[in-house]
């Protein structure tokens, strides 16, 4: 626009950001521009779905008889799913379409981040050395946080729309601060970039910690002394010109690997495995769904579903008799309450399973009309996925139906053993609970009652033992032993009793039994500890349960960047 003389100052460029009731302004701008030969930029049209048909008519109206220099530029965010494809076909057919594909790999991302600036940018600050070093570090930070998304939940617990605008505004803030101060305000810069510019997108506390840790590692006084490595084998370059920085990336950046982001190579194996599983699942879902048996198949679709359905109904145990269990409880301790709540939740799930399977069985026999829910259940059984109606009453799980059902039976067995006399088992399977938080809270409640401590001033201490589940014969006097935890992103070394680097191809090594006990807040010593989030599944994000402090000899920031977390299911 500037090259051809179209600017805001000349009054012939109209830039309108939609989504804030600007539709009328946009229509007026289009009318004026069509008459006078101006340019109109309409941003974020995906936010005004209802107005798009009016826009289509307006553009069609101005397609004939308008000024030959009249142009309209439209921008929209990518749609997250096919249902969100709302831009009218007429607009798409008559447009020249440009998509901004995100680059892949650190090399391409770092070059693209640097492309937002020029030699003039590098020369615009009086504190040239400091400005250039921090600018390059910010470019690397931007490339790392943008590309880390491809590692799934181990990269970021939730996906975030980081853009080049976050980087350019961060560099503007850096310039303003350095111009106003003779000293580099490292803390201020880290806060503004990590908590506001980039942190403004972040909704998960653990992701916020990750963003903060990157900046603590990349932007610190050592960067000006030539002692800072942005990644293993990639030192922060000294003061160079613009082309020199691009050349340095080509010459010095190590080959693409998870190490460039602070992750372990296992993160890539895990991410590629999950992607392959999704692809194969999609191929499976695309196969024909007619009733006739394919050549070489075991039987028809209905026969396969019928056999599976009968097998599940046969293996499904009776519901827990809640009246009997309540009568059996002598004292309603926090642990007994947890056991009863878990039995109630299990009853709700097994009752729904029995009802829906029985209904489908009648439908397959022709005794009931097949409904949409019954067909959805039939498809799930055939494709080996957990039905939606079961998941709503269930616990988060990424397992196939066969694994999920075996896991369900194991959970029922654990509950049956516990509710025989309601004495606390020697070790508890933490992943076997609908609500693991309730058990961990019960540990604190029991200790608080026994010692008459205020519950809101207590915390859980986590001691990893050197033994496995079979080595324990009885529960501890205070607290609880828990098993069934897995570590992702690292491994637990039993000899040293600390977190260590994971072994290649061991994605989620099992943890030994963990001793959980409650202590007053002020008695907790956090030195040499990594606050490790515990999640129910590898999806992380909303499946967060608790934070366990694990011993580490290395700086905890290493494990933050590696995305180390405890999991209850793998």
């Amino acid at each position: 626009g500037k090259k051809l003389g179209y600017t805001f100052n000349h009054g012939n460029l109209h830039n309108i950001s939609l989504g804030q009731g600007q539709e009328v302004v946009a229509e007026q701008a289009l009318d004026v521009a069509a008459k006078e030969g101006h340019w109109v930029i309409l941003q974020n049209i995906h936010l005004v779905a209802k107005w798009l048909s009016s826009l289509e008519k307006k553009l069609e109206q101005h397609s004939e008889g308008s000024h030959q220099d009249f142009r309209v530029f439209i921008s929209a965010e990518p749609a997250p799913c096919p249902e969100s494809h709302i831009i009218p076909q007429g607009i798409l057919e008559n447009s020249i379409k440009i998509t901004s594909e995100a680059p892949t790999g650190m090399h391409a991302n770092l070059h693209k981040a640097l492309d937002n600036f020029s030699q003039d940018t590098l020369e615009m600050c009086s504190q040239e050395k400091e400005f250039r070093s921090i600018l390059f570090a910010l470019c690397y930070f931007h490339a790392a946080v943008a590309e880390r998304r491809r590692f799934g939940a181990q990269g970021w617990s939730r996906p975030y729309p980081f853009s080049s605008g976050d980087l350019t505004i961060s560099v503007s803030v850096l310039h303003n601060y350095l111009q106003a101060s003779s000293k580099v305000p490292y803390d201020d810069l880290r806060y503004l970039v990590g908590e506001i510019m980039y942190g403004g997108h972040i909704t998960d506390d653990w992701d916020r910690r990750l963003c903060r840790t990157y900046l603590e590692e990349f932007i610190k006084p050592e960067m000006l002394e030539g002692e800072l490595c942005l990644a293993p084998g990639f030192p922060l370059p000294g003061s160079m010109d613009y082309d020199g920085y691009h050349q340095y990336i080509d010459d010095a950046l190590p080959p693409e690997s998870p190490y460039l982001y602070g992750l372990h190579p296992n993160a890539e194996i895990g991410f590629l495995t999950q992607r392959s599983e999704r692809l194969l699942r999609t191929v499976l879902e695309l196969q024909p769904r007619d009733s006739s048996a394919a050549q070489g198949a075991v039987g028809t679709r209905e026969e396969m579903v019928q056999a599976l359905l009968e097998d599940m109904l046969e293996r499904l145990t009776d519901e827990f008799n809640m009246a009997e269990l309540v009568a059996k409880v002598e004292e309603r301790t926090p642990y007994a309450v947890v056991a009863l709540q878990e039995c109630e939740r299990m009853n709700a799930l097994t009752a729904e399973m029995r009802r829906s399977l029985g209904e489908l069985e009648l439908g397959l026999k022709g005794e009931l009309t097949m409904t949409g829910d019954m067909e959805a259940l039939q498809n799930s059984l055939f494709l080996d996925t957990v039905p939606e109606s079961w998941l709503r009453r269930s616990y988060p799980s990424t397992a196939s139906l066969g694994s999920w059902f075996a896991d369900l039976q194991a959970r029922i067995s654990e509950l049956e053993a516990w509710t025989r006399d309601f004495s606390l088992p020697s070790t508890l399977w933490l992943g076997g609970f609908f609500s693991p938080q309730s058990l961990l809270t019960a540990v604190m409640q029991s200790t608080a009652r026994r010692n008459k401590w205020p519950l809101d001033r207590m915390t859980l201490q986590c001691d990893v033992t050197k033994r496995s589940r079979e080595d324990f014969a009885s529960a501890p006097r205070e607290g609880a032993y828990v098993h069934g935890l897995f570590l992702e992103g690292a491994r637990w070394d039993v000899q040293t009793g600390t977190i260590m680097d994971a072994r290649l191809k061991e994605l989620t090594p099992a943890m030994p039994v963990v001793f959980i006990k409650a202590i007053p807040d002020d008695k907790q010593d956090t030195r040499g500890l990594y606050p490790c989030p515990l999640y129910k599944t590898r999806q992380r994000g909303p499946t967060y349960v608790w934070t366990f402090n694990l011993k580490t000899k290395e700086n905890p920031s290493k494990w933050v960047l590696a995305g180390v977390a405890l999991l209850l299911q793998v």
Side-chain angles (χ1 to χ4, degrees):
K2 208 176 268 182
K3 278 181 190 169
L4 298 175
Y6 289 88
T7 64
F8 305 117
N9 295 341
H10 292 155
N12 56 4
L13 180 66
H14 310 271
N15 184 13
I16 298 149
S17 182
L18 295 161
Q20 298 153 5
Q22 298 286 318
E23 294 86 329
V24 176
V25 176
E27 288 186 13
Q28 291 168 349
L30 287 167
D31 291 338
V32 171
K35 197 174 176 184
E36 305 288 336
H38 296 173
W39 285 10
V40 179
I41 301 168
L42 300 176
Q43 294 185 49
N44 302 322
I45 64 161
H46 60 284
L47 299 176
V48 286
K50 289 178 182 171
W51 179 68
L52 292 181
S53 56
S54 306
L55 174 63
E56 185 181 14
K57 284 176 193 160
K58 182 68 75 175
L59 292 174
E60 200 176 318
Q61 183 187 321
H62 290 311
S63 62
E64 290 177 14
S66 57
H67 196 286
Q68 62 176 20
D69 294 333
F70 169 52
R71 297 286 183 276
V72 180
F73 300 87
I74 296 172
S75 79
E77 287 285 321
C81 59
E83 292 74 39
S84 305
H85 291 167
I86 53 170
I87 299 172
Q89 197 173 341
I91 293 179
L92 290 171
E93 283 177 353
N94 295 318
S95 307
I96 297 170
K97 290 163 284 295
I98 301 169
T99 58
S100 177
E101 280 280 328
T104 55
M106 176 57 82
H107 186 272
N109 269 285
L110 192 47
H111 274 302
K112 190 177 181 191
L114 205 54
D115 286 342
N116 290 294
F117 310 105
S118 64
Q119 184 62 33
D120 293 343
T121 317
L122 298 181
E123 292 169 358
M124 71 184 188
C125 185
S126 54
Q127 296 190 58
E128 209 167 278
K129 183 188 174 191
E130 291 85 348
F131 180 70
R132 290 184 181 198
S133 289
I134 298 175
L135 184 142
F136 191 88
L138 282 173
C139 286
Y140 191 90
F141 164 72
H142 176 80
V145 298
E147 186 60 9
R148 197 180 164 103
R149 276 181 294 210
R150 74 183 169 94
F151 295 101
Q154 199 175 342
W156 292 106
S157 294
R158 302 161 196 261
Y160 301 111
F162 300 123
S163 69
S164 55
D166 302 320
L167 175 61
T168 51
I169 197 76
S170 297
V171 169
S172 299
V173 167
L174 166 67
H175 172 255
N176 295 340
Y177 264 74
L178 291 183
Q179 290 293 83
S181 167
S182 57
K183 282 186 177 178
V184 180
Y186 291 102
D187 289 343
D188 293 4
L189 288 171
R190 282 195 297 259
Y191 182 83
L192 287 166
V193 175
E195 300 289 340
I196 299 171
M197 307 308 172
Y198 285 82
H201 297 293
I202 297 173
T203 55
D204 185 283
D205 288 342
W206 297 103
D207 288 339
R208 192 174 289 278
R209 177 182 74 164
L210 171 62
C211 182
R212 203 165 45 234
T213 305
Y214 264 130
L215 290 164
E216 284 165 2
E217 293 295 306
F218 293 164
I219 299 178
K220 52 187 178 181
E222 293 90 311
M223 67 192 307
L224 302 177
E225 294 153 24
E227 295 173 9
L228 181 71
C229 275
L230 295 169
F234 189 58
L236 180 72
S239 190
M240 299 180 177
D241 65 6
Y242 182 70
D243 293 332
Y245 280 127
H246 274 297
Q247 191 60 47
Y248 179 77
I249 296 168
D250 289 335
D251 297 343
L253 187 68
E256 181 66 26
S257 85
Y259 286 126
L260 297 177
Y261 313 92
L263 290 156
H264 189 273
N266 283 351
E268 189 148 49
I269 298 172
F271 142 74
L272 290 172
T273 306
Q274 286 171 2
R275 186 195 260 180
S276 306
E277 283 170 359
R278 270 203 307 275
L279 174 65
L280 294 171
R281 166 78 47 206
T282 306
V283 171
L284 180 66
E285 287 171 1
L286 287 172
Q287 67 181 4
R289 298 191 177 185
D290 60 348
S291 299
S292 59
Q295 194 176 354
V298 179
T300 66
R301 179 190 173 89
E302 274 77 8
E303 284 168 1
M304 289 170 70
V305 170
Q306 181 72 39
L308 180 61
L309 181 152
E310 287 170 1
D311 179 54
M312 290 177 99
L313 279 172
E314 193 180 311
R315 288 159 60 196
L316 208 54
T317 55
D318 291 335
E319 290 173 26
F320 290 97
N321 186 325
M322 293 310 297
E324 259 183 39
L325 292 180
V326 170
K328 202 192 289 185
V329 176
E330 292 167 10
E331 184 192 350
R332 283 181 80 93
T333 63
Y335 294 122
V337 170
V338 169
L340 291 170
Q341 285 174 345
E342 289 292 314
C343 290
E344 282 175 358
R345 290 188 177 114
M346 188 59 79
N347 279 354
L349 172 57
T350 53
E352 169 58 23
M353 289 171 69
R354 200 172 278 105
R355 182 202 65 77
S356 56
L357 288 171
E359 204 175 68
L360 178 59
E361 189 173 31
L362 293 173
L364 292 174
K365 287 176 183 171
E367 293 175 25
L368 269 182
T369 308
M370 288 289 278
T371 63
D373 287 344
M374 288 155 75
E375 279 185 12
L377 176 61
Q378 184 182 0
N379 286 336
S380 295
L381 295 179
F382 182 68
L383 297 170
D384 196 29
T385 59
V386 185
E388 190 61 42
S389 67
W390 299 3
L391 274 177
R392 281 199 296 271
R393 293 164 177 80
S394 177
Y395 36 85
S397 176
T398 54
S400 63
L401 179 59
S403 307
W404 180 88
F405 191 70
D407 176 75
L408 178 78
Q409 289 183 301
R411 288 166 183 256
I412 292 171
S413 300
E414 290 274 325
L415 277 177
E416 283 172 347
W418 189 3
T419 53
R420 275 189 203 116
D421 59 359
F422 283 93
S423 61
L424 195 64
S426 54
T427 73
L428 287 157
W429 176 25
L430 193 58
F433 288 86
F434 282 80
S435 172
Q437 291 96 323
S438 60
L439 175 80
L440 297 171
T441 306
V443 171
M444 294 207 293
Q445 286 173 330
S446 295
T447 310
R449 286 182 188 181
R450 188 179 294 118
N451 300 311
K452 296 190 168 49
W453 291 342
L455 190 61
D456 60 343
R457 291 189 190 161
M458 292 177 68
T459 189
L460 287 181
Q461 183 174 305
C462 154
D463 294 321
V464 185
T465 69
K466 294 191 174 184
R467 296 180 287 170
S468 62
R469 175 188 187 181
E470 293 74 28
D471 302 329
F472 291 88
S474 59
R477 280 191 306 115
E478 230 176 49
Y481 293 123
V482 298
H483 69 272
L485 275 65
F486 302 87
L487 198 58
E488 185 175 39
R491 69 183 171 89
W492 184 260
D493 187 74
V494 177
Q495 266 63 47
T496 59
T498 58
I499 308 181
M500 302 284 272
D501 281 319
R503 293 190 182 101
L504 200 61
K505 297 184 183 175
E506 283 186 17
L507 304 191
T508 49
M511 292 282 287
V513 169
V514 176
F515 176 41
I516 305 289
K517 67 173 180 180
I519 57 169
D521 267 342
D522 50 9
K523 293 276 170 67
Q524 190 174 35
D525 184 6
T526 54
R527 288 171 302 179
L529 295 175
Y530 163 61
C532 184
L534 170 68
Y535 295 99
K536 291 178 185 174
T537 72
R538 293 177 80 167
Q539 291 170 322
R540 302 196 180 192
T543 69
Y544 170 74
V545 177
W546 210 275
T547 305
F548 286 172
N549 291 323
L550 300 179
K551 287 180 183 171
T552 172
K553 287 181 180 173
E554 306 207 42
N555 191 324
S557 63
K558 174 180 176 171
W559 310 119
V560 174
L561 297 184
V564 174
L566 285 164
L567 306 174
L568 294 176
Q569 289 177 46
V570 291

